[in-house]
Amino acid sequence: MTQLSKHFHLSEFTKSQTASRRGINNTPNGAQVQALKLLCEKVLEPVREHYGKPVVISSGFRSARLNRAIGGSRTSQHSKGEAADFEIAGVSNVEVCRWMEKNLNYDQLILEFYTPGLPNSGWIHVSFSANRMRNQELTARRVRKWGRTRTEYVPGIVA
C-alpha cells in the first residue's frame, strides 16, 4: 500500500465504484502520485491534524477514462492528482472551509452543494498545484432556471 503522507494512503484516492463496475483502470502515474503527495502534505494533513479526526475522501484521483465516464470536466484537477473531495464526520463543511481559508494555501477551495442548516450537507473540494496557487474560494450550488437545473459557482464561501 503506497503511503502518501502520515494519515493518507493512495488507495483512498483511487477507489471508485464506477471504475470497479466498468472495469476502468484508475491507477495514477508517477507524476500524478507526486501531485497527490503534495495535496496530502500541504492541505489534507494540516486539516487532519487540526481537527484530530479522519478526513474521508469521497473523490480523489480520476484517470482520464474514469473522468469521462462520470462526466467530469476535461480540465479536472482530479485527473492530474491535484484535487480531492472530502468531509470530516461531525464537523460542519462550512467550518472546515473557513478554517482552511484562514490557515492554508491551495489552488481552489469549493464548498459544494451545502444546504444552510444542514452542517454536513454537500462536501468540500480542494486542489493544490505546484504550478498554480490562486487561493480561490467558491461555493457551488444547484440553481433551477427555465425548467433546467445547473451548477452555479459564486465567489467566496457562502453559507
Side-chain angles (χ1 to χ4, degrees):
M1 189 177 319
T2 301
Q3 191 85 23
L4 297 173
S5 65
K6 182 178 177 183
H7 292 100
F8 296 95
H9 296 92
L10 181 59
S11 61
E12 296 174 80
F13 292 84
T14 58
K15 70 177 185 264
S16 165
Q17 291 179 354
T18 302
S20 295
R21 218 174 21 253
R22 297 186 183 187
I24 296 171
N25 180 355
N26 196 40
T27 305
N29 64 30
Q32 293 159 334
V33 170
Q34 288 306 311
L36 286 166
K37 283 183 178 182
L38 271 178
L39 174 66
C40 290
E41 292 166 4
K42 302 293 187 183
V43 181
L44 298 174
E45 276 296 336
V47 170
R48 170 70 166 81
E49 292 292 331
H50 176 75
Y51 286 99
K53 294 177 143 195
V55 171
V56 179
I57 307 300
S58 57
S59 181
F61 175 73
R62 298 180 199 150
S63 67
R65 186 171 168 210
L66 175 59
N67 194 55
R68 280 191 305 275
I70 66 163
S73 165
R74 285 190 348 253
T75 60
S76 174
Q77 287 180 284
H78 285 276
S79 294
K80 298 174 185 174
E82 296 176 345
D85 298 340
F86 73 93
E87 292 182 82
I88 301 172
V91 182
S92 165
N93 289 326
V94 172
E95 177 187 329
V96 176
C97 281
R98 292 212 167 116
W99 182 85
M100 292 173 70
E101 186 176 20
K102 290 177 186 159
N103 295 284
L104 300 176
N105 286 311
Y106 41 78
D107 184 37
Q108 281 189 317
L109 175 63
I110 306 175
L111 177 62
E112 299 211 42
F113 310 114
Y114 173 79
T115 302
L118 297 175
N120 292 113
S121 60
W123 62 88
I124 299 164
H125 167 94
V126 67
S127 63
F128 185 92
S129 172
N131 303 316
R132 177 172 63 181
M133 198 65 62
R134 292 177 281 183
N135 282 308
Q136 179 184 47
E137 296 85 23
L138 299 168
T139 297
R141 52 188 172 196
R142 289 186 181 91
V143 177
R144 189 155 176 81
K145 198 172 191 178
W146 297 304
R148 299 179 72 130
T149 302
R150 64 179 181 82
T151 301
E152 172 185 82
Y153 292 89
V154 296
I157 302 302
V158 180

